[in-house]
């Protein structure tokens, strides 16, 4: 067996808007993400964790933010493409653990929907996909409600 672990992190600042997308779920909010794609920090962190586990670079290497074909792209498409690459190398997801760091909006009502979207995109059982949310207790740019960050850790197995 070949076991690999990867970690990923992403952050996006806010701009004018009325919703954000996290974990593939559109969430009403008083702001939007400032980003080249849809700005889904959770899916971007997962992509980086998957790519990192196999030393395949990062999301920017595979989907550059200066490439017009990725402008406003749904990050679920990016995640599916990354996981296809992982599967083409013979690896399968065994576990995914994530954390979203945000003061607002409150994310608890959306966690199960995020887990379902991510599991669908990774062709995985929901019970191996963990999504958690926390605040930074008012500290830093997250605490000042200037943006949101996410981190992800994956365990991959090549039987």
């Amino acid at each position: 067996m070949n076991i690999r672990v990867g970690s990923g992190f992403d952050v996006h600042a806010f701009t004018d808007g009325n919703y954000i997308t996290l974990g593939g779920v559109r969430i009403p909010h008083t702001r939007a993400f400032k980003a080249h794609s849809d700005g889904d920090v959770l899916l971007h962190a997962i992509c980086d964790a998957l790519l990192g586990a196999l030393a395949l670079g990062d999301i920017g290497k595979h989907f550059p933010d200066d490439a017009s074909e990725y402008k406003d792209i749904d990050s679920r498409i990016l995640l599916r493409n990354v996981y296809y690459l992982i599967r083409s190398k013979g690896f399968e997801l065994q576990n995914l653990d994530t954390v979203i760091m945000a003061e607002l909006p409150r994310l608890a009502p959306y966690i199960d929907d995020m887990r379902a979207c991510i599991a669908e995109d990774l062709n995985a059982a929901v019970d191996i996909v963990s999504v958690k949310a926390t605040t930074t207790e008012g500290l830093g740019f997250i605490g000042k409600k200037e943006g949101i960050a996410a981190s992800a850790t994956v365990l991959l197995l090549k039987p």
Side-chain angles (χ1 to χ4, degrees), residues 51-75:
L51 292 166
L54 298 186
L56 297 173
D58 63 18
I59 193 171
K61 175 182 175 182
H62 294 268
F63 312 104
D65 64 5
D66 59 357
S68 61
E69 64 264 33
Y70 303 122
K71 178 72 175 137
D72 298 322
I73 194 167
D74 181 338
S75 293

Side-chain angles (χ1 to χ4, degrees), residues 1-145:
M1 283 193 307
N2 191 346
I3 298 171
R4 300 286 186 95
V5 175
S7 65
F9 179 83
D10 195 40
V11 61
H12 280 289
F14 287 132
T15 189
D16 294 333
N18 57 11
Y19 73 91
I20 59 173
T21 303
L22 283 171
V25 177
R26 187 173 169 149
I27 300 170
H29 189 41
T30 58
R31 307 296 309 267
F33 286 129
K34 182 179 180 180
H36 184 71
S37 67
D38 64 6
D40 191 326
V41 293
L42 182 57
L43 297 189
H44 296 177
I46 295 168
C47 286
D48 271 351
L50 290 164
L51 292 166
L54 298 186
L56 297 173
D58 63 18
I59 193 171
K61 175 182 175 182
H62 294 268
F63 312 104
D65 64 5
D66 59 357
S68 61
E69 64 264 33
Y70 303 122
K71 178 72 175 137
D72 298 322
I73 194 167
D74 181 338
S75 293
R76 292 184 73 186
I77 294 168
L78 304 180
L79 180 60
R80 286 184 222 125
N81 285 338
V82 166
Y83 194 56
Y84 178 81
L85 176 60
I86 299 305
R87 295 283 301 163
S88 75
K89 304 285 186 187
F91 284 85
E92 295 178 6
L93 180 69
Q94 299 301 299
N95 191 60
L96 168 62
D97 187 27
T98 67
V99 180
I100 305 165
M101 293 150 267
E103 293 296 319
L104 289 174
R106 295 313 243 177
L107 298 174
Y110 304 99
I111 297 289
D112 288 340
D113 290 339
M114 288 184 222
R115 290 179 67 212
C117 280
I118 294 164
E120 179 181 329
D121 291 342
L122 298 177
N123 195 29
V126 173
D127 68 351
I128 68 166
V129 175
S130 170
V131 175
K132 305 178 299 289
T134 190
T135 70
T136 60
E137 302 294 330
L139 299 174
F141 75 91
I142 295 168
K144 294 176 187 172
K145 302 173 189 148

